[in-house]
Amino acid sequence: MNLLLLYRGPLASCNFDCPYCPFAKRRDSRAQLAEDRAALTRFTDWVAANPGGDTLSVLFTPWGEGLTRSWYRDALVRLSHLPHVEKVAIQTNLAGRLGWVAEADPARLALWATYHPGQVRRERFLAACATLRGHGIRHSVGMVGLPEHHAEAVAMRAELPESTYLWINAADGHAYAPDAEAAWTVIDPLFGYSVRPHASAGHECGAGETSLSVLGDGTVRRCHFLPEPLGNLYDGSYRAALRPRACGKATCDCHIGYVHLKRLGLHQVFAGGVPERIPAGPPPTWGVPSALLTSAAGAGTPRA
């Protein structure tokens, strides 16, 4: 079996204070950090042992910033050298030290990096991206599509290499007029997939079949957005629940969820780069007008 595991442990602290994030500048206690470290070590040991004999990919999706913690850096390096791990990636603000990437296998390590204007200078962020390129580490770069950040997004797109995908997430609670949507789509031709929630109820999804959400205590769910447990990773009880099934949630509006919604065909768009959000090549919608892009995405009502 080929499984993608989205791991989210107890860590909730972050070194940034983005106004749109509930975990901004939050501090974990020593006890909470120790709990997170122990949970991650247990998970990493499980992946290394691979009791199911599967081909695995891992995406760390912490509420906080993981790369400022040595145990996440160590886990990424360790997992990148395991032959049965196809890819190991993490969502990060890229503010942590990056010298450790030299110890990882660049064929398996990848980073999903988000640029937050006002939290870090563009030049510093671009220097971090250059460090990753220098070590041959695959990475995508993204931003939240807030109106006040559009000019910065244009500048970021101009300064990144053409080969680096710059994705844009639609801002929660923000509606996009057609001209604004078109402007963001110039930067990210796949923005149409993010700008509206996708109708998901009754539609088949790979979550719970080939993609799983894993919590720090080993609880396995279909995805981060469906609370019903499928079992536990560490006693193997989750395996009996793996099967194709339709989503029971009315809509899905987060990339790590709707990327697995089979009717959208995004596993083909991101073939070989699903964990790190990198398209296989110029997406098939490249250059298509925004209205056609969002229609093709099967989007529903605008965010508001």
Side-chain angles (χ1 to χ4, degrees), residues 49-140:
N50 192 21
D54 302 313
T55 297
L56 301 173
S57 293
V58 176
L59 171 61
F60 293 111
T61 61
W63 285 122
E65 173 54 43
L67 291 188
T68 59
R69 307 297 175 184
S70 63
W71 49 96
Y72 281 90
R73 301 192 298 267
D74 293 345
L76 288 161
V77 170
R78 180 185 179 190
L79 296 183
S80 77
H81 289 289
L82 299 178
H84 59 273
V85 172
E86 190 171 80
K87 188 73 60 67
V88 57
I90 189 170
Q91 294 177 326
T92 174
N93 61 28
L94 217 55
R97 294 174 294 172
L98 292 174
W100 61 272
V101 302
E103 302 172 21
D105 183 346
R108 293 187 175 93
L109 175 66
L111 300 184
W112 167 322
T114 305
Y115 171 52
H116 299 281
Q119 303 297 313
V120 62
R121 291 184 298 108
R122 187 195 326 148
E123 294 77 13
R124 180 177 176 180
F125 187 91
L126 286 166
C129 293
T131 296
L132 295 178
R133 291 196 303 275
H135 288 284
I137 306 299
R138 280 168 56 89
H139 59 285
S140 65

Side-chain angles (χ1 to χ4, degrees), residues 6 205-207 223-225 252-261 264:
L6 279 67
C205 183
C223 74
H224 289 329
F225 315 106
C252 186
D253 64 359
C254 183
H255 177 88
I256 59 175
Y258 65 69
V259 72
H260 305 297
L261 198 59
L264 299 182

Side-chain angles (χ1 to χ4, degrees), residues 186-226:
V186 170
I187 298 169
D188 175 10
L190 299 179
F191 179 63
Y193 289 101
S194 177
V195 75
R196 298 172 185 81
H198 297 277
S200 52
H203 293 281
E204 191 171 318
C205 183
E209 179 189 6
T210 58
S211 174
L212 301 171
S213 167
V214 181
L215 302 184
D217 64 359
T219 298
V220 175
R221 298 172 176 171
R222 291 184 61 190
C223 74
H224 289 329
F225 315 106
L226 295 171

Side-chain angles (χ1 to χ4, degrees), residues 140-218:
S140 65
V141 170
M143 296 177 63
V144 177
L146 293 166
E148 59 268 30
H149 291 168
H150 184 266
E152 194 62 30
V154 171
M156 178 60 71
R157 177 64 280 171
E159 295 191 46
L160 282 171
E162 186 177 350
S163 58
T164 300
Y165 175 49
L166 176 61
W167 48 265
I168 303 296
N169 275 350
D172 286 340
H174 186 78
Y176 292 83
D179 58 341
E181 182 180 337
W184 285 109
T185 302
V186 170
I187 298 169
D188 175 10
L190 299 179
F191 179 63
Y193 289 101
S194 177
V195 75
R196 298 172 185 81
H198 297 277
S200 52
H203 293 281
E204 191 171 318
C205 183
E209 179 189 6
T210 58
S211 174
L212 301 171
S213 167
V214 181
L215 302 184
D217 64 359

